[in-house]
C-alpha cells in the first residue's frame, strides 16, 4: 500500500501537479531579464545612436542567402510573407508560391515572399536548395542548424532580414509552411483588424491570441520547468502559425529582442519582447491554430488555418476559395 502511495506521488510529480503550488503570480510578480525599460533603448537603435545598455543578444549568424534585392526602395510592398520552412519541404514551398504566396496575386497590391531556412548536413538537399533559390529568388538561409529547437533563431532571422533588407514593407506576415492563408481576407483584415470584417483602424501585432498557463507535466513537448519560467501564466501571445506585424511593431520587436533573454518557444519569446516594449497583441478568431473543417462556403472569412502540409490539398482548397472570391 505504501509503495502504491509513493508511486502515485512520483507520478503526480512527473505530471507537474505539485509544481503549480510553487509558481509565481504573473500579474503581481512578473519580471524577465533584462529588467530594464526597453523603449528608450529601442528608440536609440531606430535613431542610429549608440545604445546606453549593451545588448545581450546580437544574433550573430551569417546569411548564406539573403534576397538582397527582394524589396527595393521603390517597391513599398503592402504585405511581405516571411515563411518558416524546413529544408526538405520543396513541395510545400512551391504550393505556397502558386497560392497565397503568389507575389502577383493583385496587380494593385505589391507583395513579397521569402522562405526562412537554416542549414543541414545533407549536401544533396543543399544543392537542391541552391537551385531553388536561383530559380525563385525567395530563399533566406542563415547558418544555424535547421531544427525545431531553433525556431526562435529562425523567427529572429526573419525579423532581422525584414528590418535590414525589407524595411519598406508595411505589414509582415510570419507564417509556417503548413498554413492556408486567404490573401484577400488578409488584406481586408489589416485594414480593419479590431472588428474584422467591419471597419476599424490598424493596430500592430495581430493573430490568434492566447493567455494560458505553461505546461508543467514532463512528458509534454512544451514542458517548461520553473527554473526557466516561474510564473503561472504566459504573457498574451499570438500563435506562431500565422500572425501579422506592422512595420513599426517589427522595429520594436527586433531591437527589443536584443535585450530579452532567449526562450525556446518562438511564440513565447515574441510575446515576452512584445510585453517589454508595451505592444498588446490583437486577437482575431479567423486565425485558426487548428485545421478548420472545410467546405466551400465555410472559409468565407477565414484568414489562416493550420493543417495544410499536403501541397495538393492546399492548392485545391485555395483555388476553390479564389473561385468564389474568398482567397
Amino acid at each position: 500500500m505504501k509503495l502504491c502511495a509513493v508511486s502515485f506521488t512520483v507520478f503526480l510529480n512527473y505530471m507537474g501537479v505539485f509544481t503549480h503550488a510553487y509558481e509565481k503570480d504573473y500579474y503581481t510578480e512578473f519580471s524577465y531579464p533584462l529588467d530594464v525599460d526597453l523603449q528608450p533603448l529601442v528608440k536609440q537603435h531606430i535613431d542610429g545612436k549608440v545604445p546606453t545598455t549593451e545588448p545581450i543578444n546580437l544574433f550573430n549568424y551569417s546569411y548564406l542567402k539573403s534576397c538582397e534585392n527582394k524589396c527595393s526602395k521603390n517597391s513599398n510592398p503592402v504585405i511581405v510573407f516571411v515563411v518558416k520552412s524546413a529544408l526538405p519541404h520543396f513541395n510545400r514551398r512551391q504550393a505556397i508560391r502558386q497560392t497565397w504566396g503568389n507575389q502577383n496575386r493583385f496587380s494593385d497590391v505589391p507583395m513579397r515572399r521569402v522562405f526562412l531556412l537554416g542549414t543541414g548536413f545533407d549536401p544533396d538537399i543543399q544543392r537542391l536548395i541552391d537551385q531553388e533559390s536561383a530559380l525563385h529568388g525567395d530563399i533566406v538561409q542563415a547558418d544555424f542548424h535547421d531544427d525545431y529547437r531553433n525556431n526562435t533563431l529562425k523567427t529572429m532571422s526573419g525579423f532581422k532580414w525584414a528590418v535590414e533588407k525589407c524595411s519598406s514593407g508595411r505589414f509582415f506576415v510570419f507564417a509556417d509552411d503548413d498554413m492556408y492563408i486567404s490573401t484577400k481576407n488578409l488584406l481586408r483584415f489589416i485594414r480593419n483588424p479590431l472588428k474584422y470584417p467591419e471597419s476599424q483602424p490598424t493596430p500592430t501585432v495581430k493573430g490568434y491570441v492566447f493567455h494560458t498557463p505553461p505546461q508543467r507535466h514532463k512528458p509534454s513537448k512544451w514542458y517548461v520547468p520553473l527554473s526557466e519560467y516561474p510564473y503561472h501564466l504566459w504573457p498574451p501571445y499570438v500563435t506562431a502559425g500565422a500572425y501579422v506585424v506592422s512595420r513599426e511593431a517589427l522595429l520594436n520587436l527586433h531591437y527589443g529582442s536584443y535585450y530579452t533573454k532567449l526562450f525556446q518557444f518562438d511564440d513565447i519569446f515574441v510575446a515576452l519582447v512584445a510585453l517589454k516594449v508595451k505592444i498588446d497583441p490583437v486577437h482575431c478568431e479567423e486565425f485558426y491554430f487548428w485545421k478548420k473543417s472545410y467546405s466551400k462556403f465555410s472559409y468565407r472569412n477565414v484568414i489562416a488555418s493550420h493543417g495544410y502540409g499536403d501541397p495538393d490539398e492546399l492548392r485545391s482548397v485555395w483555388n476553390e476559395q479564389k473561385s468564389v472570391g474568398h482567397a
Side-chain angles (χ1 to χ4, degrees), residues 257-276:
S257 72
Y258 288 9
Y259 300 95
T260 305
K261 180 184 174 184
L262 282 177
F263 199 82
Q264 59 177 306
F265 305 136
D266 55 329
D267 47 4
I268 299 301
F269 181 66
V270 171
L272 289 165
V273 179
L275 181 68
K276 291 169 74 64

Side-chain angles (χ1 to χ4, degrees), residues 46-59:
I46 292 174
D47 293 343
K49 298 178 180 178
V50 177
T52 52
T53 299
E54 196 73 21
I56 60 173
N57 303 316
L58 287 176
F59 305 106

Side-chain angles (χ1 to χ4, degrees), residues 42 46 163 167-172 202-206 245-256 277 279:
V42 166
I46 292 174
V163 168
S167 60
S168 61
R170 287 180 56 196
F171 294 95
F172 298 83
T202 303
T204 49
V205 179
K206 307 162 270 289
V245 179
S246 69
R247 178 195 297 142
E248 296 76 16
L250 174 73
L251 291 169
N252 279 267
L253 292 171
H254 172 62
Y255 292 119
V277 297
I279 293 176

Side-chain angles (χ1 to χ4, degrees), residues 197-210:
E198 300 172 25
S199 178
Q200 285 290 326
T202 303
T204 49
V205 179
K206 307 162 270 289
Y208 195 100
V209 179
F210 289 94

Side-chain angles (χ1 to χ4, degrees), residues 74-147:
N74 297 323
S75 64
N76 298 320
V78 174
I79 291 177
V80 181
F81 290 109
V82 184
V83 186
K84 287 187 301 179
S85 187
L87 293 168
H89 290 179
F90 299 98
N91 291 336
R92 290 190 188 184
R93 292 192 286 275
Q94 186 59 19
I96 289 170
R97 292 182 185 107
Q98 295 169 341
T99 57
W100 54 265
N102 181 355
Q103 297 178 145
N104 301 313
R105 172 69 180 90
F106 298 104
S107 60
D108 59 339
V109 181
M111 294 188 290
R112 297 293 182 268
R113 168 202 69 238
V114 295
F115 295 97
L116 301 177
L117 300 177
T119 59
F121 303 107
D122 188 333
D124 293 329
I125 291 287
Q126 186 58 50
R127 275 193 292 271
L128 290 173
I129 289 170
D130 293 342
Q131 294 170 13
E132 180 185 16
S133 177
L135 179 62
H136 297 289
D138 59 3
I139 301 296
V140 173
Q141 187 175 30
D143 63 353
F144 54 81
H145 181 55
D146 198 295
D147 184 85

Side-chain angles (χ1 to χ4, degrees), residues 180-197:
Y180 162 90
I181 293 178
S182 165
T183 320
K184 190 170 186 177
N185 288 344
L186 176 64
L187 285 166
R188 293 170 62 204
F189 172 70
I190 62 176
R191 294 178 183 129
N192 319 312
L194 293 182
K195 292 188 177 180
Y196 172 80

